[in-house]
């Protein structure tokens, strides 16, 4: 694992998990780095990072997201603050350009305490209720014609044609079976229709393999050693209206937790992939717990293998698709300055995925530019059954209060 000595806080940003990716340094959230340089806290920085990524038309988050079966954009997003352990999330949210802003607002409003008459403030809202809450808290709406880009509309039309063809073939198969003809000609016809249906459905499943990126996420450690995580997604293409993926679900889309109690390390995790797989395995939370072990690389590897790829909750799945970016850190004394008030913040950042590729970018406040990387499965590995894992280490200098 490479060691990168640097002297400032770090952002690690996630950009995609599916297929061929085109993440460049121009997509990295530079404004979030500027907030980090100005001393902003991790939870505000991670929100700023996601806003920049949602605003890009090349990501499946916020503006330009996948359209659902009805031709609408419904977004999921969540964020977690490792210092307060507060969490905010929205699901199936329409008409808001930056769903992460609503999730962050839910988190910050919850920190103010109970509402009138002792009511508990919400941390997770969906659909129309989430939209109205956002309006009431000063988050502006966004017209559908701005939310949907030329690319997302074109992809929707192509996907709809593929789906219509698949449904037509399936209907023909059902009608053929009902005739209950047993002669050889009809047997051959059934086989031909089955092969065609399989081809069409397989092609439809590859709709994420485009020049567009997928779910976005970020993990951050700030100048005080606080961590935060966030994730945002437009969900699966042609999903059912109202469907909520892992990006909005507690313990599944993101997790952040500072040191304290039994936690030796602060940890931050963000996930992406097949939402249903990630929800059923609570992968973000599982990774955070595992990262309290001494060897972060081995802990993440075992978690991805045992808790995800070979999870008993996904035993019926032929292909388990997803991945994570993780960050963990702890304070330690500088060997060269044992008597000073300066400590080192040891930061480890890793990523792992079972999809063919994943785009990752990372940057500290003293770096001149972001480092970006396309991680790929090893040659010959099968997506959904194998995994890749990579990462690095930073040593950050910080003063002890």
């Amino acid at each position: 694992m490479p060691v990168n000595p640097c002297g400032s806080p770090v952002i690690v940003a996630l950009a995609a998990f599916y297929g061929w990716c085109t993440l460049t340094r121009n997509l990295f959230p530079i404004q979030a780095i500027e907030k980090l340089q100005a001393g902003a806290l991790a939870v505000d920085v991670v929100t700023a990072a996601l806003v920049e990524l949602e605003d890009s038309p090349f990501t499946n988050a916020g503006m330009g997201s996948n359209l659902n079966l009805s031709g609408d954009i419904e977004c999921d997003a969540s964020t977690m603050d490792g210092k307060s352990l507060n969490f905010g999330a929205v699901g199936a949210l329409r008409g808001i350009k930056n769903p992460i802003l609503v999730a962050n607002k839910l988190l910050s409003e919850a920190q103010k305490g109970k509402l009138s008459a002792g009511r508990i403030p919400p941390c997770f809202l969906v659909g129309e209720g989430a939209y109205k809450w956002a309006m009431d808290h000063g988050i502006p709406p966004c017209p559908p014609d701005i939310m949907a880009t030329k690319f997302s509309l074109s992809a929707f039309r192509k996907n709809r044609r593929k789906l219509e063809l698949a449904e037509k073939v399936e209907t023909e198969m059902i009608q053929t079976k009902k005739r209950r003809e047993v002669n050889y000609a009809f047997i051959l016809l059934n086989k031909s229709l089955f092969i065609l249906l399989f081809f069409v459905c397989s092609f439809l499943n590859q709709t994420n393999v485009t020049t567009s990126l997928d779910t976005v996420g970020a993990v951050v450690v700030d100048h005080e050693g606080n961590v935060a995580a966030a994730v945002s997604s437009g969900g699966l293409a042609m999903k059912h209206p109202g469907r909520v993926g892992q990006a909005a679900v507690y313990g599944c889309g993101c997790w952040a937790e500072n040191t304290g109690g039994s936690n030796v390390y602060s940890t931050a995790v963000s996930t992406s992939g097949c939402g249903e797989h990630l929800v059923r395995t609570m992968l973000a939370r599982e990774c955070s717990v595992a990262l309290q072990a001494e060897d972060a690389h081995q802990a993440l590897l075992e978690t991805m293998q045992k808790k995800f790829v070979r999870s008993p909750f996904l035993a019926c799945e032929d292909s388990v698709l997803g991945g994570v970016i993780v960050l963990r850190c702890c304070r330690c004394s500088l060997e060269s300055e044992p008597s000073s008030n300066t400590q080192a913040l040891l930061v480890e950042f890793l990523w792992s995925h079972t999809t063919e590729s994943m785009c990752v970018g990372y940057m500290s406040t003293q770096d001149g530019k972001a480092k970006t990387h396309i991680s790929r499965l090893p040659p010959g590995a099968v997506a959904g059954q194998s995994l890749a894992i990579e990462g690095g280490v930073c040593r950050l200098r910080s003063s002890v209060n």
Side-chain angles (χ1 to χ4, degrees):
M1 184 181 296
V3 177
N4 178 27
C6 48
S8 51
V10 173
I11 290 177
V12 180
L14 156 76
F17 283 97
Y18 289 109
W20 180 70
C21 310
T22 56
L23 177 65
T24 67
R25 291 184 178 90
N26 293 332
L27 188 56
F28 195 86
I30 299 300
Q31 292 179 20
I33 280 287
E34 293 172 354
K35 282 182 173 289
L36 204 54
Q37 289 173 329
L41 295 177
V43 67
D44 297 320
V45 174
V46 82
T47 300
L50 265 290
V51 167
E52 289 186 67
L53 292 170
E54 287 175 339
D55 285 346
S56 169
F58 303 112
T59 62
N60 178 30
M63 182 183 67
S65 290
N66 288 330
L67 278 67
N68 65 17
L69 277 172
S70 301
D72 299 309
I73 290 178
E74 294 183 333
C75 295
D76 305 328
S78 65
T79 184
M80 188 168 180
D81 176 22
K83 183 178 181 179
S84 67
L85 301 182
N86 280 331
F87 172 83
V90 291
L93 176 62
R94 298 186 187 184
I96 300 293
K97 183 182 178 185
N98 296 114
I100 192 62
L101 289 179
V102 189
N104 178 259
K105 190 67 174 178
L106 282 163
L107 184 153
S108 61
E109 288 296 310
Q111 291 178 328
K112 297 178 181 179
K114 293 183 179 180
L115 304 175
S116 60
R119 292 174 298 138
I120 303 296
C123 67
F124 180 18
L125 293 173
V126 299
E128 186 65 21
Y131 177 81
K132 290 181 178 178
W133 190 94
M135 296 297 99
D136 292 342
H137 288 80
I139 298 175
C142 183
D145 59 337
I146 295 178
M147 286 293 294
T149 62
K150 290 182 179 179
F151 184 88
S152 63
L153 288 170
S154 175
F156 170 71
R157 287 190 286 268
K158 291 177 182 177
N159 291 336
R160 184 170 57 185
R161 288 195 294 269
K162 294 171 189 174
L163 184 61
E164 290 171 351
L165 175 59
E167 291 176 343
K168 179 181 179 181
V169 173
E170 185 175 345
T171 300
E172 290 175 357
M173 279 186 64
I174 294 172
Q175 292 175 345
T176 301
K177 288 180 179 179
K178 286 181 178 180
R179 297 189 187 105
R180 298 184 183 279
E181 297 289 342
V182 296
N183 62 65
Y184 184 69
F186 276 98
I187 291 174
L188 287 179
L189 176 60
N190 282 333
K191 288 183 178 180
S192 299
L193 287 172
F194 175 78
I195 292 170
L196 177 58
L197 177 63
F198 179 79
F199 172 77
V200 171
C201 290
S202 294
F203 191 45
L204 181 63
N205 287 336
Q206 300 301 315
T207 53
N208 280 310
V209 185
T210 67
T211 53
S212 173
L213 304 183
D214 203 69
T215 296
V216 297
V219 290
V220 174
V221 56
D222 65 23
H223 60 287
E224 294 181 359
N226 300 311
V227 295
V231 61
S232 181
S233 178
L236 297 173
M238 309 303 288
K239 65 184 180 182
H240 194 283
R243 180 260 191 188
V244 174
Q246 104 289 346
V249 181
Y250 187 72
C252 304
C254 68
W255 192 268
E257 197 168 351
N258 279 9
T259 55
S262 60
N263 289 343
V264 178
Y265 301 98
S266 296
T267 58
V269 182
S270 186
T271 74
S272 183
C274 176
E276 283 68 20
H277 294 172
L278 294 161
V279 168
R280 287 156 63 187
T281 54
M282 296 190 69
L283 189 60
R285 169 69 172 148
E286 290 283 3
C287 288
S288 177
V289 171
L291 287 170
Q292 294 303 321
E294 183 176 352
D295 188 333
H297 186 279
Q298 185 63 28
L300 182 59
L301 176 63
E302 292 180 359
T303 301
M304 289 294 291
Q305 289 175 333
K306 298 177 182 178
K307 302 291 187 177
F308 192 59
V309 177
R310 297 199 295 268
S311 169
F313 297 101
L314 301 176
C316 61
E317 301 290 344
D318 295 328
S319 182
V320 178
L321 297 170
V324 297
I325 52 172
V326 304
L327 178 153
R328 82 169 188 179
C329 58
C330 66
R331 293 191 182 276
C332 56
S333 298
L334 287 171
E335 294 180 1
S336 59
E337 304 175 36
S339 60
S340 71
N341 288 331
T342 302
Q343 283 190 335
L345 188 66
L346 184 66
V347 179
E348 298 171 83
F349 48 96
L350 302 99
W351 50 89
S352 180
H353 57 99
T354 65
T355 50
E356 292 180 4
S357 64
M358 181 174 81
C359 296
V360 179
Y362 54 95
M363 185 176 182
S364 77
T365 54
Q366 289 189 349
D367 290 335
K369 57 184 179 181
K371 299 177 180 66
T372 58
H373 175 64
I374 300 179
S375 176
R376 301 185 187 279
L377 289 178
V382 179
Q385 300 176 12
S386 307
L387 63 90
I389 181 169
E390 300 179 69
V393 177
C394 262
R395 287 193 178 93
L396 314 178
R397 296 167 64 91
S398 62
S399 298
V400 181
N401 295 324

